[in-house]
Amino acid sequence: MTDYRFKLGMYLPELRLPFDEALAKAKDIGAEYVWFNSLPDEPPIAEMSDAEIDRMGARVAQHGLEIFVIGASNPFKQLHLTDLDLDTLEMHPAFRKEFDNFKRSLEVAVRLGIPAVNIFTFAWPGEYSAGKPTWPMRWRTRGGVIADIDMEKLVKAFSMVAEEAEQYDVDVALSMMPWNYTNTTGNFRRVVEAVGSKRLKVMWGPADNTNCGESDTETTGFGNVRSYLHGLHLKDLRVIDGLHLNFEYCPIGEGDVDYLTVLHNLRDHQCDAVLSIATHFQPPSDSAEEAMRINYANLKALIHKVEAEG
C-alpha cells in the first residue's frame, strides 16, 4: 500500500475570493486540484467565449493547479423534479436551459482537457419553495423513497445526460446534496444502476450522506460508490436532531463522519479519487481562509495517521 498517494483538491468558491487570489491561496494551502462552477465578478461559465474559457484554463495552470471537474453553473440543483412531466420534461424551459448549461460544461471540459463535469440531481418536492416537506420521510428512510414516476423521470433525464457525455467522451460526476435525489449512496446507486451508463460517476459527500440518515456511509456507503468515485466533497458536521434537520458544521475530524475509515478504504482499495475539501463551518474569526486551513491541517493529520499505520 506504500505507493498509494492521496490527491488533495479544493472546492474553490469556499475561499470567497476573486478567482486569481483564490487560485494562489489554494496552491499555498496545499491543493493540487480544484473545481468550481463560477468565477467571482466574471461572466457565467456557460456564457464565456472560447477565448475566455482558454484564459480561465491558463490562469489555473499558471498556479500549478489542475481542474479535475468543472460545472457551468449548477445544472438541476434547484429544479424540482415534480415540476417536470415525464413525457415532456426535455421541453420544459427550465430543464432545457440547465441542460444547455450542462452541454456547455462538456464543451469546456473537452477544450481544457478536464475529465469530468459536475451536475446535480433535482430537488425533492417543495425543497426550495415550501420548507422541505418531505424531510421527515427522508430521514426515517435513510435518504428518502423515490416514487416510481420520479425514478422514471430521473432515468430519462440522466439517460439524456449520459448520451451527451458519451458523445464528448467526458464523465459526469453527480453531486450528493441533501436536498437532491442522490442525497445518499443508496439513492445514488439506485439511480445510476437504473440508467446503466458507465459515464455517470459521483462526487461522494460522506457528511451529506450522514446528514440524511445514512449512518454507515463510511462502510456500506463506500461499497455503494466505490466503483463510481471521481472525487470526494469533504466537510464535517454533527447531527443534533436528524428528524428535525438540526445539525451544525464543524472542522473535518471533529464531527460524526469517521474519516479515518473513509481514508483507509480509499487507500486499501487504491481508489483514484480527489479529496476535494470544503468548509461550511465558520471559525471565530469568520475567515474562510482560516476555515480551509483548519480543514486541510486536520485532513493531513488523518492521512498521516493512516499512512503511519501501514
Side-chain angles (χ1 to χ4, degrees), residues 97-111:
K97 181 179 184 301
E98 300 196 13
F99 193 76
D100 286 344
N101 286 347
F102 159 69
K103 289 197 293 184
R104 182 55 176 160
S105 300
L106 293 171
E107 293 171 355
V108 170
V110 170
R111 191 167 186 89

Side-chain angles (χ1 to χ4, degrees), residues 147-214:
D148 290 345
I149 184 61
D150 291 331
M151 181 59 79
E152 289 184 66
K153 294 177 188 177
L154 291 168
V155 170
K156 181 175 181 179
F158 286 104
S159 294
M160 293 172 59
V161 164
E163 182 179 348
E164 289 288 337
E166 191 63 47
Q167 291 182 23
Y168 284 87
D169 193 24
V170 172
D171 289 335
V172 182
L174 307 186
S175 281
M176 304 191 87
M177 281 189 59
W179 332 126
N180 286 178
Y181 278 82
T182 57
N183 50 352
T184 59
T185 68
N187 278 349
F188 167 81
R189 188 71 179 260
R190 292 181 193 103
V191 172
V192 296
E193 287 185 347
V195 175
S197 170
K198 293 181 179 180
R199 283 295 171 190
L200 298 185
K201 307 298 181 180
V202 68
M203 286 293 294
W204 183 26
D208 290 322
N209 301 158
T210 298
N211 203 18
C212 294
E214 195 172 52

